[in-house]
Amino acid sequence: MINYTKIKHGNDLLNFLIEQSDYATIDDLKVQLNLSRRGVFYVLKRVNEALIADDLEPITNILGAGYYIQSETKKSLLEHFSNAQATIDQLSKYQRCQLIIWELVNHQALSLTHLAARFNVSKHTVISDLKQVRQTLAAHRLEIVQGTTGKFLSGSEITQRNWVLEALNDRSSILYSQIDINPSRLIAINTKIHKLEKITGNYFTDDALSTLDEFILWFLDRIKDPQNQLPDSPSRRTTVDSSSIDWSINFLAANDIQNYSEAYFLGRIINTSQFYRVNKTDGLIQRIFPIAREIIDRFNAASSASISPDKLELTLSTHLLSAFYRSKFMIPYHHPNLEQITEGYQELFSFTKYAIRPFEKFINGQLSDDEIALIALYFGGELRSIENEQTVQTDVLVVCSSGIGTSYILQQQLTQRFPNIAFSQPLSVLQFKNHDLDHIKLIISTIKLTVPLEIPVVTVSPLPNHRDWETIGKALVNAHLSDINFNEARINALLDIISNYARIEDFDGLTGALHGYLNQSKHPHQAETDETLSSLQRLLPTAHIKYSTDVLSWQQGVKIALSPLLHDGLIHTHYLEQVINLTKKNGPYMVLGDGIMLAHATQNDGVNDLGMSLLLCQHPMTIQIEGHTPAKKIQIIIGLAPVDATSHLAALSQLLQKIQDVAWVKAIKATHSVAEISHLLEVAQM
């Protein structure tokens, strides 16, 4: 018997495949492991991750035949893991910490000795893990207390459940190996949820549905113990989510649970899950639609982008519905890639944070950075879509379960790593099935696909690891889409030449720098260094700053503000006139607030090159357009000449961050010369 892993059903899977003289079909594995098809796929994925981490070939699937273990892997397992101690020490620190919290949530008394034996690590390592666990729990208002028989968890029942839900929102979480999956129960839960979808007209994404299935399985087992149930409160009533509450009451009653508070809790969880399609006639979504449109307008006004509200309104509203419930019911959302988005996509995050204010006013609260980061991905996808409309045909399709969420991060990373390859926007399975595949050379997918044509498919995680990137790189080379091999040869040649004349102190750093240089994108408007586009000081030189003591009309103000761009030949006179005409036609939509106007049109309205200017007026100007109320006063006009949808975003984002700083705007308005304005920009290190 092979004792290789602590992954639930993992050893059973390996032992069954090792004993087979032929391929095993998915149906064979379902029967042998007593799991659903999805459960089998999950175990296969987890076991293969462990095998790959040990430099062993993963379990292989031969299309039309079935699964088998390659001979070298089989030999290694039999030699090293036959009746051996399970390799629980392969768990990462993060996974160990999650399992510790999981056991605490499930009322297990823990000790250093127990945990050291559980994970096959030293007590010193356990102490370090517990320190990290305490920090994580503190963020959730939970804590570890010492009892007579060991360590226990202290904190509210709802908070503990919320931690489990948050952990399960990460589809790669180790907790999925801990939940007892009973296929018949899982099917019953899934059937009931689909019934709710038909009742409400709101349909969940694939990931949200899977998370709900697993969470409800755990939740039902937990509340079988009356001590874990919330105090019943039948007088509690709500109108916003009555359908979900009614469904939850009937669902729990069918599982012998008569507790309105628990039904209310389950209804909340249901509503905070992510939808991919909503009932357009629902009263709440009808109130959110105009807010979504206002958010898109604010994003366009702040970034000078031209995202179509008609195109994004429904998708954004669908997301905001879930965000509304998360805010209403205080269910926190934690984005697994928050730091990556806030640092790697600062411009998107900054504009989104500004644009989202109407929704925050609607919910009478502030969205967390995690929520804003997720919304930023929608805008990022639309901006990339605008760019793609102007580029050559797509070479590579990017496919995910629903076309949203972390798939945008995957697409952005692909574009950054391989800038000379045309990737599609993330496609849902439905979009993929209806997509023209005639000229597609490769498909990169986060889910298993059946492709009708002879097109290679690479299946990776939405958040690729090192091995995933290696697989993608090889697939691109095989599809004749990447010059990685050619550039690697050039890099090696350059390193040889450099080493003949200089001592290389940081070999890896130099290699990475050369790789980045040789694979960089060749954008027609891109200067030799990114600094030209990303530095506000370079895009807004002192010569482009104006200060006026005259009493001006807003039209005169726009002309003066844009005059440096006209003087330098960055725009035509037509562009200046178009800004005024757009304001007369659409009202003061370019006013960002606090007396600041972003004067801009599109790159097709007379732009020769990228540029920015700024005018500060001692006397405020009034924009009063007939048919548009109310009138708006402006004192600062920022002129912008964009060459595309994205090149100006970095500099404009830096300026927007300061515009939202009340003290900084007050300081700018208090200046009396171009020199003082320029100094404030320099002090801000823009």
Side-chain angles (χ1 to χ4, degrees):
M1 290 290 290
I2 298 299
N3 192 8
Y4 172 74
T5 176
K6 282 290 185 180
I7 297 169
K8 196 167 186 179
H9 304 294
N11 288 327
D12 293 336
L13 171 68
L14 291 171
N15 282 297
F16 178 70
L17 291 175
I18 284 174
E19 294 170 0
Q20 297 303 300
S21 58
D22 200 356
Y23 300 107
T25 68
I26 194 69
D27 289 330
D28 293 334
L29 297 179
K30 284 172 58 180
V31 173
Q32 182 64 29
L33 303 179
N34 192 27
L35 293 175
S36 65
R37 177 180 292 266
R38 187 170 60 82
V40 171
F41 283 141
Y42 175 77
V43 176
L44 280 165
K45 176 184 175 183
R46 292 293 316 286
V47 170
N48 275 343
E49 287 172 350
L51 291 171
I52 291 170
D54 281 339
D55 292 325
L56 297 173
E57 289 296 324
I59 297 169
T60 304
N61 179 25
I62 301 297
L63 189 63
Y67 293 85
Y68 78 101
I69 296 179
Q70 296 191 26
S71 58
E72 286 300 316
T73 299
K74 185 182 294 188
K75 179 180 177 182
S76 181
L77 290 172
L78 289 170
E79 286 180 357
H80 301 292
F81 298 99
S82 180
N83 296 318
Q85 176 70 26
T87 57
I88 193 71
D89 56 332
Q90 291 180 355
L91 292 176
S92 67
K93 183 182 183 69
Y94 176 76
Q95 289 174 321
R96 293 196 305 271
C97 289
Q98 276 217 321
L99 288 176
I100 290 173
I101 298 176
W102 171 259
E103 293 190 3
L104 288 168
V105 167
N106 287 286
H107 308 309
Q108 296 186 38
L110 304 182
S111 66
L112 293 181
T113 302
H114 163 78
L115 292 174
R118 167 87 164 85
F119 300 128
N120 193 23
V121 296
S122 67
K123 287 187 178 181
H124 177 77
T125 299
V126 172
I127 291 171
S128 175
D129 289 348
L130 286 172
K131 181 179 179 181
Q132 180 62 51
V133 166
R134 285 189 173 93
Q135 293 176 356
T136 302
L137 292 175
H140 291 76
R141 297 183 180 180
L142 298 169
E143 63 176 338
I144 297 175
V145 295
Q146 184 66 47
T148 56
T149 58
K151 303 179 189 303
F152 292 91
L153 189 62
S154 174
S156 77
E157 172 66 18
I158 288 182
T159 305
Q160 294 181 50
R161 296 178 187 180
N162 287 347
W163 177 86
V164 173
L165 180 64
E166 179 186 322
L168 292 177
N169 276 324
D170 175 5
R171 296 301 302 162
S172 63
S173 172
I174 194 170
L175 296 195
Y176 281 96
S177 67
Q178 306 299 303
I179 296 175
D180 185 18
I181 300 176
N182 183 307
S184 61
R185 292 180 67 201
L186 206 59
I187 292 172
I189 291 171
N190 210 264
T191 302
K192 292 289 187 181
I193 293 177
H194 285 317
K195 183 177 180 180
L196 173 65
E197 289 177 323
K198 292 179 180 179
I199 293 171
T200 62
N202 298 331
Y203 291 81
F204 302 103
T205 65
D206 290 346
D207 283 349
L209 189 59
S210 295
T211 300
L212 279 174
D213 286 343
E214 307 280 357
F215 179 81
I216 292 174
L217 263 179
W218 172 80
F219 167 69
L220 288 176
D221 287 338
R222 185 174 182 83
I223 61 176
K224 283 180 181 177
D225 183 347
Q227 292 186 349
N228 292 331
Q229 290 187 20
L230 303 175
D232 194 7
S233 180
S235 61
R236 200 169 191 177
R237 288 289 180 269
T238 179
T239 56
V240 176
D241 51 346
S242 58
S243 296
S244 298
I245 299 298
D246 291 341
W247 176 89
S248 297
I249 291 172
N250 294 329
F251 176 79
L252 290 182
N255 285 273
D256 299 322
I257 303 294
Q258 306 285 344
N259 184 317
Y260 186 83
S261 292
E262 292 294 1
Y264 185 77
F265 169 80
L266 182 56
R268 292 192 309 171
I269 298 303
I270 291 288
N271 281 318
T272 55
S273 300
Q274 195 62 47
F275 303 110
Y276 81 88
R277 193 172 78 197
V278 294
N279 180 2
K280 297 179 184 178
T281 64
D282 179 76
L284 178 57
I285 200 69
Q286 286 289 326
R287 294 169 62 193
I288 290 177
F289 277 140
I291 296 172
R293 183 169 286 264
E294 185 178 357
I295 290 169
I296 298 167
D297 289 341
R298 283 173 64 89
F299 186 93
N300 283 337
S303 66
S304 81
S306 54
I307 293 173
S308 168
D310 293 333
K311 190 174 180 181
L312 184 58
E313 181 187 51
L314 178 58
T315 303
L316 182 58
S317 297
T318 300
H319 173 80
L320 291 178
L321 180 64
S322 301
F324 168 83
Y325 283 121
R326 284 194 290 270
S327 171
K328 172 183 171 62
F329 299 135
M330 293 179 288
I331 304 290
Y333 169 79
H334 293 286
H335 200 290
N337 297 91
L338 174 62
E339 185 176 346
Q340 182 180 354
I341 295 172
T342 54
E343 293 184 4
Y345 308 97
Q346 291 180 4
E347 301 87 7
L348 272 181
F349 187 81
S350 177
F351 293 130
T352 305
K353 198 164 189 173
Y354 166 81
I356 205 69
R357 285 179 182 172
F359 183 70
E360 291 182 323
K361 184 177 180 181
F362 177 66
I363 64 175
N364 193 28
Q366 284 189 326
L367 291 181
S368 67
D369 283 353
D370 298 84
E371 289 278 8
I372 294 172
L374 189 54
I375 295 171
L377 296 179
Y378 289 89
F379 287 110
E382 288 302 314
L383 287 174
R384 180 63 63 185
S385 179
I386 292 171
E387 279 194 345
N388 284 352
E389 290 172 1
Q390 303 168 359
T391 59
V392 295
Q393 69 179 25
T394 298
D395 294 318
V396 182
L397 292 187
V398 181
V399 185
C400 67
S401 63
S402 58
I404 61 173
T406 53
S407 54
Y408 280 127
I409 297 179
L410 171 60
Q411 199 270 352
Q412 294 277 4
Q413 287 181 309
L414 286 168
T415 303
Q416 286 185 343
R417 284 174 177 258
F418 308 102
N420 297 313
I421 297 174
F423 295 96
S424 76
Q425 283 297 294
L427 304 175
S428 68
V429 175
L430 180 62
Q431 290 172 318
F432 165 71
K433 289 180 177 179
N434 291 277
H435 199 283
D436 180 11
L437 301 178
D438 286 347
H439 301 288
I440 301 302
K441 299 175 182 176
L442 178 68
I443 299 170
I444 299 176
S445 176
T446 63
I447 53 177
K448 295 286 185 182
L449 292 176
T450 301
V451 183
L453 302 176
E454 292 296 323
I455 301 174
V457 179
V458 175
T459 305
V460 297
S461 166
L463 308 172
N465 54 33
H466 177 70
R467 190 173 291 271
D468 284 334
W469 285 120
E470 286 184 347
T471 302
I472 291 170
K474 290 177 182 177
L476 292 172
V477 171
N478 291 337
H480 307 290
L481 289 169
S482 175
D483 55 359
I484 289 176
N485 289 345
F486 174 65
N487 279 342
E488 287 298 332
R490 295 173 69 190
I491 290 169
N492 291 332
L494 286 170
L495 288 170
D496 288 340
I497 295 171
I498 294 170
S499 63
N500 287 333
Y501 295 94
R503 179 181 176 182
I504 302 175
E505 296 288 350
D506 184 0
F507 186 86
D508 291 339
L510 178 59
T511 303
L514 290 172
H515 188 278
Y517 174 75
L518 292 176
N519 287 288
Q520 64 186 332
S521 178
K522 305 297 190 297
H523 192 284
H525 297 291
Q526 189 173 14
E528 291 186 4
T529 65
D530 287 338
E531 188 180 8
T532 303
L533 298 182
S534 62
S535 169
L536 182 59
Q537 286 176 283
R538 287 178 176 267
L539 196 58
L540 184 57
T542 302
H544 285 193
I545 300 173
K546 295 285 185 180
Y547 177 75
S548 176
T549 58
D550 298 333
V551 176
L552 304 172
S553 67
W554 67 267
Q555 294 97 325
Q556 291 172 318
V558 168
K559 291 178 180 179
I560 294 173
L562 293 173
S563 62
L565 304 181
L566 187 64
H567 178 270
D568 287 354
L570 302 179
I571 61 172
H572 293 289
T573 304
H574 172 67
Y575 184 81
L576 189 154
E577 295 169 347
Q578 181 68 353
V579 173
I580 293 174
N581 291 336
L582 286 171
T583 306
K584 288 179 177 179
K585 178 182 177 181
N586 302 314
Y589 73 97
M590 299 184 200
V591 178
L592 304 180
D594 210 359
I596 301 169
M597 177 183 184
L598 179 62
H600 67 280
T602 72
Q603 61 263 36
N604 299 319
D605 290 321
V607 178
N608 295 325
D609 206 348
L610 181 64
M612 186 179 285
S613 59
L614 186 147
L615 167 67
L616 170 65
C617 293
Q618 183 178 349
H619 304 286
M621 300 158 282
T622 301
I623 301 182
Q624 176 70 68
I625 307 297
E626 185 177 353
H628 295 276
T629 56
K632 293 189 177 181
K633 289 187 177 294
I634 58 172
Q635 197 170 349
I636 298 173
I637 299 178
I638 301 165
L640 178 67
V643 292
D644 55 31
T646 58
S647 294
H648 60 281
L649 292 184
L652 192 55
S653 170
Q654 291 173 327
L655 186 57
L656 183 67
Q657 290 178 39
K658 301 310 297 182
I659 287 173
Q660 296 181 84
D661 183 339
V662 177
W664 188 85
V665 173
K666 186 177 180 181
I668 279 282
K669 290 180 178 179
T671 58
H672 296 88
S673 68
V674 169
E676 290 181 20
I677 298 170
S678 182
H679 176 69
L680 267 180
L681 292 175
E682 291 173 3
V683 170
Q685 294 184 341
M686 292 187 178

